[in-house]
Amino acid sequence: MSVFLKRVLEEPSYGWSRDGEFYRPTHREIMAHWFSRMNIFASRKNWLPFTDWVWTLALLPFTVLFFTKYFSWPLLLVGFLYAMLFLGTTNIVWLHRYCTHRAFTFTHPIYRFVLRNLPLRLVPEETYVLSHHVHHAYTEQAGDPYNAHGGRLYCFLAGELHQPIARDLSRKDYKRAVAMLNHTGVNANTYAQYKKWGSICHPAYLYLHFSLNWLFWYGAFYLMGGHALACAIFGMSALWAIGIRDFNYDAHGCGKDKRDWADFNREDLSINQLFAGTVSGEWHNNHHMFPNGARSGFLWWQLDTAWWLIRLTKLLGGIASYRDYKARFLAETYEPYLRAKAEAEAKASSASPRQP
């Protein structure tokens, strides 16, 4: 699988590495490659990288309307909480824990449909899932699509620069790539369609799906609070759509070792961030320790809203099984840490000179 993951993504124009080492491109190289990826007139195969920004920028008119016509502090708070808490949590559950890592299974496809469409759709499964598998296989190495060593811009524009599927996969490799998305409900292209569009998903299906999702939720929010509420929620969702692009850079210490006592995974630079963990349940260092777990908040203070949503769905009969590594983490990692800490403190205390 690791050899396949090495070639499943399109290599950027500046390459993943040079002389056997990860290559950090200049800002000029990054922007030149980004503009080439965004040029849908040069190739229709650029449609998916271009689409990533279409839906993000489509939120901005709602942002302008909210601040110029419907602004109020309570609605600003509602929109902010929706963007940070609700979008953060539901997308972690759907895109991260289910689509990528299959941390749980559904009892019926209807529950999958509901969870898939519960948030405002902004990120195609194809853009997220394949690249995230590569990220875990080559964390902070050449080939990692959002390698923190590449810098903030390298990560911020990764959706267009490094995450698209390779356009020259063999029929066999394309079938393997499709298999990584079969459980998500994505309607996959045939191999001939893939050669035409350069993607697994078809533009017509994706745009129809996202459009219907937006129409449904705008209508629902309008019925609950009129255009003011709908514009507040849609407009503030731009915060999440843009902010999520920065997540992996920050969650890997900005390419530096920022791990502290609560970051027990020492295989990479991932860290547990208080804000991201609290609003979405994404305790990233814990996640890299147990990637396919349905829970990443292991300590009492690590709130895990994504885990709560998974547990609620199971309570409602929607989830058949899940993987939970909390007990293993406590037994194999945290409790030995506490014992070692207590022994070190006792040894230091006994070694210190006694006061007269």
Side-chain angles (χ1 to χ4, degrees):
M1 175 61 83
S2 61
V3 175
F4 165 69
L5 292 177
K6 197 74 172 180
R7 62 176 180 265
V8 72
L9 301 182
E10 186 82 7
E11 187 169 1
S13 58
Y14 37 77
W16 299 118
S17 62
R18 294 188 185 180
D19 300 323
E21 299 293 332
F22 168 72
Y23 176 69
R24 176 172 177 162
T26 65
H27 284 184
R28 185 185 183 90
E29 288 175 314
I30 287 175
M31 293 311 300
H33 184 52
W34 185 79
F35 280 117
S36 72
R37 289 282 191 170
M38 295 293 288
N39 189 350
I40 59 172
F41 299 103
S43 173
R44 74 181 73 185
K45 294 181 180 181
N46 287 331
W47 79 270
L48 190 55
F50 178 80
T51 293
D52 289 342
W53 276 104
V54 166
W55 294 99
T56 297
L57 295 178
L59 294 170
L60 297 184
F62 298 101
T63 309
V64 173
L65 274 174
F66 171 66
F67 281 103
T68 58
K69 188 174 182 179
Y70 300 115
F71 178 81
S72 74
W73 289 107
L75 284 178
L76 179 65
L77 178 61
V78 169
F80 180 81
L81 290 176
Y82 179 88
M84 294 295 102
L85 185 62
F86 189 78
L87 282 183
T89 298
T90 53
N91 277 288
I92 284 294
V93 173
W94 173 249
L95 289 171
H96 200 189
R97 299 191 187 176
Y98 178 72
C99 292
T100 304
H101 297 293
R102 306 194 193 197
F104 58 90
T105 59
F106 290 105
T107 57
H108 192 278
I110 189 64
Y111 290 100
R112 183 186 69 182
F113 174 84
V114 171
L115 188 58
R116 186 186 189 194
N117 290 285
L118 194 59
L120 197 62
R121 291 309 313 269
L122 291 166
V123 181
E125 287 86 359
E126 177 179 338
T127 301
Y128 190 97
V129 173
L130 273 71
S131 63
H132 200 67
H133 278 291
V134 177
H135 167 66
H136 275 274
Y138 300 101
T139 307
E140 294 153 10
Q141 303 174 45
D144 182 350
Y146 21 86
N147 191 330
H149 294 302
R152 189 175 296 276
L153 190 64
Y154 186 95
C155 297
F156 187 81
L157 298 177
E160 300 79 58
L161 298 172
H162 315 126
Q163 292 179 243
I165 188 175
R167 300 172 180 179
D168 58 352
L169 294 176
S170 66
R171 189 179 295 272
K172 180 180 178 181
D173 278 348
Y174 177 69
K175 185 176 180 180
R176 293 182 70 179
V178 170
M180 297 171 71
L181 290 170
N182 276 342
H183 62 295
T184 67
V186 170
N187 194 343
N189 282 328
T190 63
Y191 187 68
Q193 290 173 321
Y194 153 73
K195 298 296 287 184
K196 177 180 179 179
W197 293 106
S199 61
I200 294 176
C201 57
H202 194 282
Y205 284 117
L206 187 142
Y207 273 84
L208 178 62
H209 177 201
F210 277 37
S211 296
L212 291 175
N213 172 272
W214 280 40
L215 285 170
F216 174 85
W217 284 115
Y218 191 91
F221 296 139
Y222 174 79
L223 291 175
M224 286 186 273
H227 289 299
L229 177 63
C231 286
I233 290 177
F234 271 64
M236 296 304 290
S237 293
L239 288 175
W240 183 87
I242 295 173
I244 194 63
R245 290 173 163 270
D246 231 16
F247 172 76
N248 274 282
Y249 180 69
D250 292 327
H252 283 261
C254 303
K256 301 176 183 178
D257 190 350
K258 296 184 178 180
R259 296 169 296 186
D260 61 21
W261 69 271
D263 300 318
F264 292 96
N265 168 43
R266 297 286 160 161
E267 299 300 316
D268 51 58
L269 297 179
S270 60
I271 58 176
N272 290 320
Q273 297 170 285
L274 183 61
F275 180 78
T278 301
V279 299
S280 68
E282 181 54 23
W283 300 97
H284 205 58
N285 185 268
N286 292 351
H287 165 68
H288 269 264
M289 185 179 292
F290 299 106
N292 64 350
R295 174 182 0 209
S296 68
F298 296 145
L299 302 178
W300 68 266
W301 51 272
Q302 293 176 335
L303 302 180
D304 193 339
T305 52
W307 168 248
W308 295 350
L309 179 56
I310 290 169
R311 290 287 295 158
L312 175 62
T313 308
K314 180 171 175 53
L315 184 64
L316 296 175
I319 288 179
S321 63
Y322 55 75
R323 286 184 285 265
D324 180 10
Y325 294 102
K326 180 177 180 178
R328 180 176 166 185
F329 168 81
L330 294 176
E332 297 180 2
T333 303
Y334 191 61
E335 290 171 4
Y337 160 77
L338 291 179
R339 288 195 295 269
K341 181 181 178 182
E343 290 171 3
E345 290 174 349
K347 185 177 180 180
S349 177
S350 62
S352 61
R354 295 185 178 181
Q355 296 296 324

